[in-house]
Amino acid sequence: MALPDTETILTAAGLVATAVVWAVERFLPGRKRIGYRVQMDTAIGMNPQDAHSLVQLRLLRQDQEVNDATLALLRFENDGGKDIVRQDYQEPLTVEFVGRTVIGVEVPDANPTDLMGMLTRNGGGLRHDGGRLFIPKVPLNKRNHFKLLVLLSSTDMDAGTGAGAGGDAGTDAGSESGTPGARGNAGTSGTTGNSGRDGSAAGAVTVSGFISGGRIRRNAQRWGPRKLSLALGGTFIVLLGLLGGLLLSARTAPAAAGECATGRLTIDGSTAFAPPMREIARQYRARCAGAEITVSTSGSLSGLGNLNREGKPATVEGPGFLAVSDVPAPSLYRRLEGDRTGVILLGLVANEKAGVDDLTSVQVRKIYDGTYTNWQQLHGNDLPIRLVSRDAGSGTRRAFETSVLHHSEPGVVSSYDCGDKDRDEQARLTRCEVNSTKSLLDAVDRVPGAIGYAEVYAAAQRQHVVSVRLNGHEPDIEWGQQRDYPFWTVEYLYTYGRPEDGSLTAKFLAFMDSDTAKNIMRMYKHVPCADRQSLPDTICRP
């Protein structure tokens, strides 16, 4: 016998609460966070001490003896919930070895390996002064890490300041009593010296720095998962099993009375809104047998034109046709009636080889008017700028022109393949036009130095595409964070006149206000108008 729906809801709520507690414990303490750990800090010497009567072990670097040498291995990792870019560092990472002097440093491991080049770059890489090691501001995506192997002495040497990559320390063992040279074992660190800046005891290792909107913390060495993680995991498994049993016992819940209608419905228009719309249509078909729904993607303005043509010869109840548009319908379509369904977040995207991740609105306008033609002019890599634009029927292009450029895009199309000026060699800009979000992202992903604009969820799925912040701001589904981010647009659903009550078109429009549709939109990083608390009233009302 099926259990009441209330029990299913309570079980699901328990699962969500468990996941929320885990997420808060894991990510909330620092959405941007660099963790570090001292994996090794040991003296280089003879052990046991009695061996000194037989063998003398000296450590040399550049023909200078290193007294009371120690080796330290430090690991740094982005273990937070967000990527860290250079602009996030308000103060760079600085490591202080109290009572010791840094002799040299190497980077034995980094993921990705490109971090090694950033850390050891001449003039801008690792440097040290006395007991302090200065780490350059390197970008760290989630789970990126690097390790530093540091050679130190407990007495001041004339080490100066300089890049530490490629230290050349060596050992020189000789016999005092005719005995062959022996191999020294690493002993525990026994360094002594003055206290650090923050009062740390001699021999301590401290890391300082400041990240905007995040923190730096020392991670404790642990073996296995923490007790809290085990408890949360066990609770989650129990609740998941209970929820699965409830769902199986209840089988598939029937659609609410009056929710379904039969017939055929075509939905056409915005390519940016197509992924969530396809999933919403699939959910409706699964609930309502006899409903046939097709989702097409001809572009916002083309979809509106197709709706207008379908509506004119239709019967009094109107066609089974909906148009999805990123912009309001032109005034010439007098019979079209639209409802605001949500806000779609848009963003600038660039090929990763361009070497940029933040632009101002002024810089974007100068890119599109031809003032800038090479990414090096914007502190990026030495690559020509290649513009990948949407065609004139795109609502995303209209939003870009209105919100960012404040004028129309240049009309000259100089490239067929988006990589070369194979259409107009005399044009100042390399610029192509494509007819869908997918085609634009394909081109930006493929062409070095390419830049374009697209819906943010689709852009995040591409390996070689970088989301470019606008005026230092990122698009955020939490509307309270969007006040200073200009690039978004309202999504509209248009019908030809008002659909007849009980028709598939009317029923599907009602379904767009359901929790199911709202959750699907949020999954694709859109803000639904059905969730009135998420948006200001002026956004979702005419």
Side-chain angles (χ1 to χ4, degrees):
M1 181 178 179
L3 295 174
D5 288 342
T6 302
E7 298 187 14
T8 303
I9 293 172
L10 290 175
T11 304
L15 277 173
V16 172
T18 304
V20 168
V21 171
W22 177 85
V24 169
E25 189 271 338
R26 178 66 181 86
F27 295 110
L28 192 59
R31 299 181 70 185
K32 295 178 182 177
R33 183 173 62 202
I34 293 179
Y36 73 93
R37 186 164 66 243
V38 181
Q39 294 185 316
M40 178 184 73
D41 189 3
T42 186
I44 303 174
M46 297 297 296
N47 192 10
Q49 292 294 322
D50 293 344
H52 283 289
S53 63
L54 302 175
V55 176
Q56 181 183 22
L57 181 67
R58 295 187 300 160
L59 184 69
L60 302 178
R61 181 180 186 273
Q62 297 177 349
D63 296 328
Q64 295 187 45
E65 184 173 356
V66 180
N67 297 320
D68 296 329
T70 56
L71 273 178
L73 181 64
L74 288 81
R75 188 182 194 275
F76 292 84
E77 178 184 12
N78 180 353
D79 60 358
K82 281 192 171 184
D83 296 341
I84 295 174
V85 298
R86 288 187 178 92
Q87 292 84 350
D88 290 329
Y89 293 91
Q90 302 302 311
E91 291 293 337
L93 297 176
T94 302
V95 186
E96 183 175 3
F97 298 90
V98 181
R100 290 182 278 179
T101 299
V102 179
I103 305 300
V105 58
E106 290 188 357
V107 185
D109 177 44
N111 180 27
T113 55
D114 291 345
L115 287 173
M116 288 188 178
M118 299 181 193
L119 289 165
T120 59
R121 184 176 299 147
N122 288 335
L126 292 163
R127 60 186 182 88
H128 52 83
D129 184 8
R132 303 180 72 197
L133 174 62
F134 303 95
I135 302 174
K137 301 177 181 179
V138 294
L140 291 173
N141 294 334
K142 289 184 290 186
R143 302 308 172 198
N144 283 179
H145 75 269
F146 61 88
K147 295 183 180 181
L148 302 178
L149 183 63
V150 188
L151 176 64
L152 304 115
S153 169
S154 65
T155 58
D156 292 335
M157 294 182 63
D158 187 19
T161 301
D168 53 357
T171 59
D172 179 17
S175 172
E176 291 184 336
S177 58
T179 306
R183 177 179 299 171
N185 295 324
T188 58
S189 176
T191 58
T192 59
N194 299 325
S195 298
R197 288 183 158 193
D198 58 356
S200 302
V205 180
T206 62
V207 176
S208 60
F210 187 83
I211 299 174
S212 178
R215 66 171 180 160
I216 300 164
R217 73 170 186 178
R218 182 164 184 162
N219 294 330
Q221 184 74 35
R222 294 192 306 270
W223 299 101
R226 289 182 294 182
K227 293 181 180 179
L228 178 59
S229 298
L230 288 173
L232 290 174
T235 303
F236 190 86
I237 291 172
V238 171
L239 290 174
L240 186 63
L242 180 58
L243 180 62
L246 291 172
L247 293 176
L248 287 175
S249 64
R251 298 185 180 181
T252 304
E259 182 179 282
C260 292
T262 59
R264 295 182 179 180
L265 176 64
T266 299
I267 304 173
D268 190 14
S270 169
T271 64
F273 198 71
M277 182 57 78
R278 288 195 178 100
E279 179 61 21
I280 293 170
R282 188 188 71 80
Q283 290 287 340
Y284 188 86
R285 289 194 302 266
R287 291 166 175 258
C288 302
E292 299 180 22
I293 304 175
T294 303
V295 179
S296 302
T297 55
S298 65
S300 294
L301 296 181
S302 295
L304 292 170
N306 292 338
L307 171 61
N308 191 60
R309 283 191 295 273
E310 290 287 328
K312 288 182 178 180
T315 57
V316 65
E317 67 269 14
F321 201 108
L322 283 173
V324 186
S325 177
D326 303 336
V327 293
S331 58
L332 62 94
Y333 299 137
R334 299 176 182 175
R335 294 291 307 277
L336 302 192
E337 297 190 26
D339 291 319
R340 303 183 183 207
T341 189
V343 169
I344 181 170
L345 301 179
L346 306 170
L348 290 167
V349 292
N351 183 274
E352 62 180 359
K353 293 184 179 180
V356 297
D357 57 15
D358 195 351
L359 294 170
T360 67
S361 297
V362 174
Q363 289 172 331
V364 174
R365 292 174 198 132
K366 289 186 177 181
I367 288 173
Y368 278 81
D369 68 15
T371 301
Y372 297 129
T373 58
N374 191 294
W375 287 115
Q376 205 168 36
Q377 297 171 276
L378 294 163
H379 309 291
N381 296 323
D382 186 11
L383 278 174
I385 296 175
R386 299 177 171 100
L387 305 182
V388 183
S389 301
R390 293 292 305 278
D391 56 27
S394 165
T396 303
R397 172 173 168 173
R398 290 285 186 93
F400 177 65
E401 292 173 338
T402 302
S403 302
V404 181
L405 292 185
H406 301 316
H407 57 72
S408 298
E409 278 197 58
V412 176
V413 176
S414 60
S415 177
Y416 291 113
D417 65 359
C418 302
D420 300 299
K421 296 177 184 177
D422 50 5
R423 188 174 187 269
D424 184 355
E425 295 181 357
Q426 304 303 316
R428 180 172 177 79
L429 297 170
T430 300
R431 180 177 178 271
C432 67
E433 290 186 357
V434 295
N435 62 2
S436 69
T437 299
K438 179 180 182 301
S439 297
L440 184 143
L441 292 173
D442 286 343
V444 173
D445 189 77
R446 170 177 52 86
V447 178
I451 184 172
Y453 42 84
E455 180 262 326
V456 296
Y457 179 85
Q461 314 307 311
R462 300 304 182 106
Q463 181 178 2
H464 304 297
V465 173
V466 175
S467 293
V468 179
R469 294 188 296 179
L470 192 56
N471 302 320
H473 299 286
E474 298 175 352
D476 196 316
I477 192 172
E478 297 301 329
W479 190 254
Q481 309 296 326
Q482 289 295 107
R483 301 183 187 278
D484 298 317
Y485 185 80
F487 196 13
W488 53 270
T489 188
V490 176
E491 201 70 29
Y492 296 84
L493 281 178
Y494 279 95
T495 59
Y496 192 89
R498 298 311 300 177
E500 183 181 17
D501 291 342
S503 66
L504 178 56
T505 303
K507 296 292 186 180
F508 187 80
L509 284 174
F511 186 69
M512 289 296 298
D513 286 334
S514 68
D515 288 340
T516 299
K518 180 174 66 176
N519 291 334
I520 291 172
M521 290 176 65
R522 283 194 166 276
M523 182 177 70
Y524 284 90
K525 306 300 182 185
H526 301 330
V527 187
C529 280
D531 189 357
R532 303 298 180 188
Q533 296 180 349
S534 295
L535 296 169
D537 290 340
T538 54
I539 299 296
C540 287
R541 291 181 180 176

